[in-house]
Amino acid sequence: MPNAENWQGDVLRDLKGGAQPPAQGQAGPQQQPAAGPAGQAPAPGAAPQGPGQAPRPAAGPGGHAPAQAPAYGYPQQGPGLGAAAPAPAGGRGGLPPQAQPYPQAQQQPQPPQPRGAYAPAAGQGQRARTPDSKPAVDRQLSGAGRKPRHGEPFTARALRAVRRTVSSSAAREVAEATRAAELLQQPVTTGRQIAVTSIRGGAGKSTVAALLGTTYAHYRQDPVLFVEADPALGSLPIRLGAESLRWTTGDVADIVEPQMSLLDITGYLVQLRDNAWLLPGSQGQIGAMLDTPSYERAMVALRRYFGVTVVDCETLPAEVARVALSASQARVLATPATLDGVSSTYAVLQWMQGLPPHMLASTCVVITEQAPHCGVDLADAVRTLEAAGPSVHVLPYDRHLADGGHIRTELLAHSTRQTAARLAADVFQLSQKRH
């Protein structure tokens, strides 16, 4: 019959293989350990063997204990990763409870985390895994693109250079560029968010967002952030020349914390030229989603680190795009220079007239020419759209932009650079106004 005073020991012995119960009158857990061989006392510091513990194997040659079977089903550790020196008894597998390794960590070591990486609080599981870096353009397609072309033919560039030497147009261009630079370099007290969207795909919104952010990064001293809120295989990373992508907008929404510094934040971003940074929406995978709460958390957390943030949104009427438009200080609607593009954008402007007045007052429309000869009368399209309330700019056809690759500012046509500077200054002024 089991000993009533030592029933815990009986249960442990039964679980370990039905060991024989102790003899009648044997001491319980408080009994002193028996002397070793030849009546010697146990070695100093040796842990006593309780009634529910299996005896430890004797030390082998040289004083080292022989290998034991791993406890709790954990794999046997070799001399490499995860090997540890013997520790006092009481933990799992000879280690104290707080130092127990996970089996996965022994077999697949986690990659190093960047500075400020998110570590969940106790009870939330293991550390967030760093996503693998993936190229922005598949390596099999990296050689498919042609050599970048200049935005305008050589004859047009030569003719313009001759005109500037014999007329006063150069002085006017310098004065206009100076005024645009003064507007773009105005200080801000809080970060400005500018959302770029369209009513349909192929309208050139990623191109417009890239031109806007590149212009701000060139003229301003504070850091500029590009945010891709279009996870459906957006082209913004390609237009900005990003080579690889890792952290996305959805990932950063769960990582950024208020106590982080700008140096911590930039560890999760793609660095670009002129103190600019990119936060992509996906890694070029179909099915990546960005919900509204994640977008809001990311934008609220990142706003205080950057002077200007340009958001490349989904096409309307997606939910994230509508949230981005309402939360930004200025909005840009891109439309192709086609009849259906201008008509759809005009319908959106009429819908915005039913919203609070500041929404339409801080909106700008960009008509993008994607062919040398567009199918609409641009002057008439500008008058029609301006009648609905917003300011309207026309981005002229540019061979370099039409190629669809990395935008190199030195290859842009002169008219494209002028339009980009005027557009950036106009949008920045709209973001500064209190409507």
Side-chain angles (χ1 to χ4, degrees), residues 73-98:
Y74 285 84
Q76 180 70 32
Q77 293 182 352
L81 180 66
R92 297 189 297 182
L95 292 176
Q98 65 273 16

Side-chain angles (χ1 to χ4, degrees), residues 16-31:
K16 288 186 175 292
Q20 294 298 325
Q24 187 70 20
Q26 186 176 350
Q30 302 299 327
Q31 180 182 358

Side-chain angles (χ1 to χ4, degrees), residues 197-224:
T197 187
S198 63
I199 190 60
R200 62 184 62 200
K205 64 180 180 62
S206 296
T207 301
V208 172
L211 290 175
L212 281 176
T214 303
T215 304
Y216 294 135
H218 175 74
Y219 283 98
R220 300 189 60 80
Q221 299 297 323
D222 45 15
V224 175

Side-chain angles (χ1 to χ4, degrees), residues 3-10 13 20-34 48-53:
N3 189 352
E5 297 180 357
N6 191 24
W7 60 272
Q8 298 95 333
D10 297 332
R13 278 190 299 273
Q20 294 298 325
Q24 187 70 20
Q26 186 176 350
Q30 302 299 327
Q31 180 182 358
Q32 295 296 328
Q49 298 294 338
Q53 295 180 334

Side-chain angles (χ1 to χ4, degrees), residues 193-198 200-213 225-240 249 278-282 290 295 299 309-316 320-321 324-325 328 332 334:
Q193 295 181 7
I194 299 170
V196 183
T197 187
S198 63
R200 62 184 62 200
K205 64 180 180 62
S206 296
T207 301
V208 172
L211 290 175
L212 281 176
L225 176 64
F226 294 87
V227 175
E228 188 181 32
D230 184 4
L233 300 180
S235 59
L236 184 61
I238 299 177
R239 301 301 260 168
L240 295 175
T249 307
L278 166 66
L279 180 58
S282 67
L290 177 64
Y295 173 79
M299 297 306 295
T309 300
V310 179
V311 185
D312 183 11
C313 302
E314 294 178 286
T315 56
L316 290 172
V320 175
L325 290 177
S328 300
V332 178

Side-chain angles (χ1 to χ4, degrees), residues 108-149:
Q108 299 179 358
Q110 297 293 336
Q113 299 283 340
R115 180 179 177 182
Y118 167 70
Q124 294 185 6
Q126 300 185 24
R127 192 184 187 92
R129 190 181 69 86
T130 301
D132 296 330
S133 180
K134 295 186 178 180
V137 179
D138 192 277
R139 293 183 177 88
Q140 297 180 355
L141 301 175
S142 57
R146 298 187 305 177
K147 182 180 178 180
R149 296 185 299 173

Side-chain angles (χ1 to χ4, degrees), residues 342-403:
V342 174
S343 176
S344 301
T345 303
Y346 183 72
V348 172
L349 295 176
Q350 289 181 322
W351 167 74
M352 293 180 66
Q353 290 177 351
L355 302 177
H358 73 277
M359 293 287 293
L360 193 57
S362 58
T363 298
C364 179
V365 175
V366 179
I367 302 176
T368 60
E369 291 188 81
Q370 301 176 350
H373 306 285
C374 61
V376 296
D377 186 344
L378 290 178
D380 184 64
V382 169
R383 287 193 300 268
T384 302
L385 295 178
E386 284 182 339
S391 60
V392 181
H393 295 261
V394 177
L395 183 64
Y397 171 74
D398 189 296
R399 295 191 310 176
H400 181 60
L401 294 180
D403 289 341

